[in-house]
Amino acid sequence: MATFIRRMAISYILLTLFFSADIGFFGRVASFGINYGQVANNLPPPDKVLELLTNLKVTRTRIYDTNPQILTAFANSNIEVIVTVENNMLGQLNDPQQALQWVSGHIKPYLPDTKITGIQVGNELFTNGDTTLIQYLVPAVVNIHNALVQLGLDSNIHVSTPSSLEVLQESYPPSAGSFKSEISGIMSQFLNFLATTKAPFWINAYPYFAYKDDPNRIPLDYVLFNPNEGMVDSNTNLHYDNMLYAQVDAVSFAIAKLGFSGIEVRVSETGWPSKGDPNEVGATVQNAQTYNRNLLRRQMANEGTPLSPRMRLEAYFFALFNEDMKTGATSERNYGFFQPDATMAYNVGLAAFADSSTSSTSISLTSSATKTKAASNGFQSLFFWMFVYLLTSALCGFV
């Protein structure tokens, strides 16, 4: 028994090293995500957007529909795209045949020329106020995934949905993170789907909102990623020097409390408005530039959160353009890095990163936890076979 335990311990160590190493098949490439919203009447056409992204050496983006003009324009390019099923479509996707028709008509025609890598089924369904939509979520994601499997398209396309932080009952400290009781039943079903298909949990996380609502108690430097004392979670002794990482880890703790592990939490939206109404405290060009520039630097440094320091946090910035037809507060129309004419709303440093990028460091609009550097394929293969040998040796008692 002692020998068996020793072998299993060695195997576990080897597995941990293999999956957490920044080399091998699971090596990370410095990259980040950005959302390409289209709620505007003055945006450049998709081919010009493609030109902008290409000039910035950007390789991935996320859109809020399955816009055929965008998917066609991005064909035979280096841009990977995550698409979205609009909320009003979910009821139809309860029918497996309807889901198959949707995938056949909205996804399959563009493959493989257009690199579609993910499908977001709805947006913030748990908290949008329409309780009927929540009931549609799990059947919809299951039917979409099954349709991909039936068509042989599932190997490179994950299916999930983005949620707002309002799904949490508690978020502070991060270890207290828990989902609201009224959604825990459906959330458990959804998490089971993610665990089964190995898809990520996406969260829309905006430290700006927390600061705007309570600027006298929340330090601005803490939400902007500036140097600050931060906070220590007394239950875990983990130190947080920014709010975004604390929010992400609160979601991870909430997932664990429902009995699930190994589900990666990714940020589907985060950003800071450069302009707002008089009551929108902190919505300034300077703060927007600081938040996004500091987060961009951390993304390029492959940082993880305090709870998962070895797993790089994947995040999508919001957004590529200011969108003039968005309703609501002035801030809603001023999250963009760029104006509709493709001039910068403010300098977040994208051009500098693009100019300095090399074959081993790419600028992209999101990243994949399994993407590897092409230049190191030979080394990756060697590392893999060394891993296989050591693991086999450990299990067979040779080490």
Side-chain angles (χ1 to χ4, degrees), residues 311-332:
M311 179 179 289
R312 180 187 177 279
L313 175 65
E314 298 199 17
Y316 278 74
F317 290 86
F318 187 87
L320 185 58
F321 296 108
N322 284 334
E323 299 170 68
D324 69 331
M325 294 182 67
K326 281 204 156 190
T327 60
T330 297
S331 61
E332 290 294 318

Side-chain angles (χ1 to χ4, degrees), residues 79-155:
I79 307 294
E80 297 183 5
V81 184
I82 292 179
V83 300
T84 303
V85 179
E86 297 95 327
N87 286 2
N88 59 12
M89 288 291 301
L90 264 69
Q92 301 177 36
L93 300 180
N94 268 340
D95 179 354
Q97 190 60 36
Q98 290 286 332
L100 179 61
Q101 291 181 12
W102 187 90
V103 173
S104 297
H106 291 78
I107 303 299
K108 185 178 179 181
Y110 303 101
L111 299 173
D113 292 343
T114 302
K115 299 176 181 177
I116 299 173
T117 58
I119 300 173
Q120 303 280 35
V121 180
N123 186 47
E124 298 189 349
L125 296 174
F126 286 100
T127 55
N128 80 340
D130 187 346
T131 56
T132 60
L133 286 178
I134 304 176
Q135 306 299 324
Y136 297 146
L137 173 61
V138 174
V141 294
V142 169
N143 290 338
I144 289 291
H145 176 73
N146 289 343
L148 290 170
V149 172
Q150 184 174 338
L151 296 171
L153 306 175
D154 59 302
S155 60

Side-chain angles (χ1 to χ4, degrees), residues 30-90:
S31 53
F32 63 95
I34 198 167
N35 291 273
Y36 172 13
Q38 307 147 54
V39 187
N41 60 10
N42 55 359
L43 297 181
D47 61 321
K48 294 299 182 181
V49 175
L50 175 61
E51 183 178 335
L52 172 64
L53 300 182
T54 301
N55 289 340
L56 292 170
K57 296 183 173 63
V58 168
T59 60
R60 302 179 189 178
T61 190
R62 172 179 174 244
I63 61 176
Y64 291 84
D65 51 21
T66 52
N67 186 312
Q69 286 77 32
I70 294 176
L71 295 179
T72 300
F74 283 22
N76 302 308
S77 72
N78 199 35
I79 307 294
E80 297 183 5
V81 184
I82 292 179
V83 300
T84 303
V85 179
E86 297 95 327
N87 286 2
N88 59 12
M89 288 291 301
L90 264 69

